[in-house]
Amino acid sequence: DIQMTQSPSTLSASVGDRVSITCRASQSISRWLAWYQQKPGKAPKLLIYQASNLQSGVPSRFSGSGSGTEFTLTISSLQPDDLGTYYCQQYSNYWTFGQGTKVEIK
Amino acid sequence: QVELVESGGGLVKPGGSLRLSCAASGFSFSDYYMSWIRQAPGKGLEWVSYMSSSGTNIYYADSVKGRFAISWDKAQNSVFLQMSSLGAEDTAVYYCARYSTSSVLDLWGQGTLVTVSS
């Protein structure tokens, strides 16, 4: 099984800050990685697919990078609406999610 | 309007069974692959089951293999998850979700809560 590990577990930043979340795979997954945002009490929402492709309708302040085993989700200028938990997911071999990164606004 | 609506959750005793439903509107299941994903209270997301658009390819997480069964009904445009031999570890919000042409989950339902407790 492919394991996904995110860091940090919690991130606290101010509005306007640039923030990054890292996701590491236990083996190479090429670029078969997606990022989701989940707001409290809601279903997850797709942000990024194939490591760096922005899903339609997602603000351009979100971006993704990486390949192989290491990936990054970056929010270029954190907004109040960005609070929530972010999950990476590999879809190279079945489907596995990272444990999540909770983003808080200072 | 394109959406997924889950139903069928509730309180069930350990060892019991439950059948979840996921109704689609605005699109046809037969054109998409589908999955069930669950989230235990305060925890992360766990993929549970997958079914291809033809119903030919079906996969399960090891944690539910042999206990859960995914199926679909074209006429009802719905996907189902039959769950049996339930234990406390199955307590979670269960989401159904649709795969996009890029093989990622681009549409999710609102979720239905399953609580396994005596």
Side-chain angles (χ1 to χ4, degrees):
Chain A
D1 292 6
I2 299 176
Q3 309 300 319
M4 307 300 293
T5 304
Q6 290 181 230
S7 60
S9 297
T10 305
L11 185 160
S12 182
S14 300
V15 172
D17 283 354
R18 181 182 180 89
V19 302
S20 293
I21 300 168
T22 298
C23 177
R24 289 186 173 86
S26 60
Q27 64 190 73
S28 178
I29 56 170
S30 186
R31 293 175 59 81
W32 302 117
L33 184 102
W35 290 96
Y36 298 86
Q37 175 196 61
Q38 186 178 34
K39 297 191 176 183
K42 300 293 186 183
K45 170 189 170 184
L46 176 66
L47 298 176
I48 302 274
Y49 62 95
Q50 214 166 326
S52 61
N53 293 315
L54 196 67
Q55 174 70 356
S56 176
V58 173
S60 58
R61 63 180 179 273
F62 291 93
S63 64
S65 63
S67 65
T69 62
E70 187 152 335
F71 302 85
T72 302
L73 173 71
T74 300
I75 308 173
S76 60
S77 177
L78 190 67
Q79 300 300 305
D81 188 51
D82 298 338
L83 80 89
T85 302
Y86 291 78
Y87 294 93
C88 62
Q89 179 212 25
Q90 68 82 18
Y91 52 106
S92 171
N93 184 5
Y94 295 98
W95 304 270
T96 316
F97 292 91
Q99 81 278 16
T101 295
K102 187 175 182 180
V103 173
E104 300 172 339
I105 309 294
K106 278 184 188 174
Chain B
Q1 184 178 354
V2 176
E3 66 176 354
L4 295 167
V5 178
E6 301 97 334
S7 60
L11 176 63
V12 59
K13 288 182 167 50
S17 299
L18 207 59
R19 188 194 196 209
L20 305 183
S21 300
C22 172
S25 58
F27 71 98
S28 172
F29 272 125
S30 57
D31 295 333
Y32 291 89
Y33 301 169
M34 299 295 297
S35 261
W36 286 94
I37 295 95
R38 68 184 180 183
Q39 186 170 36
K43 302 296 185 184
L45 301 166
E46 179 189 17
W47 168 76
V48 172
S49 182
Y50 160 97
M51 186 167 68
S52 62
S53 55
S54 64
T56 303
N57 297 311
I58 289 176
Y59 307 117
Y60 299 98
D62 287 344
S63 57
V64 307
K65 204 172 290 183
R67 301 188 299 121
F68 288 15
I70 190 171
S71 63
W72 59 295
D73 185 312
K74 246 187 197 181
Q76 296 184 47
N77 206 27
S78 295
V79 170
F80 306 98
L81 187 68
Q82 178 68 48
M83 306 185 294
S84 59
S85 301
L86 287 164
E89 68 277 10
D90 298 312
T91 293
V93 173
Y94 285 74
Y95 297 100
C96 68
R98 182 187 78 174
Y99 287 88
S100 71
T101 53
S102 302
S103 303
V104 286
L105 299 162
D106 71 337
L107 181 68
W108 296 63
Q110 85 288 353
T112 187
L113 176 62
V114 173
T115 303
V116 184
S117 175
S118 55

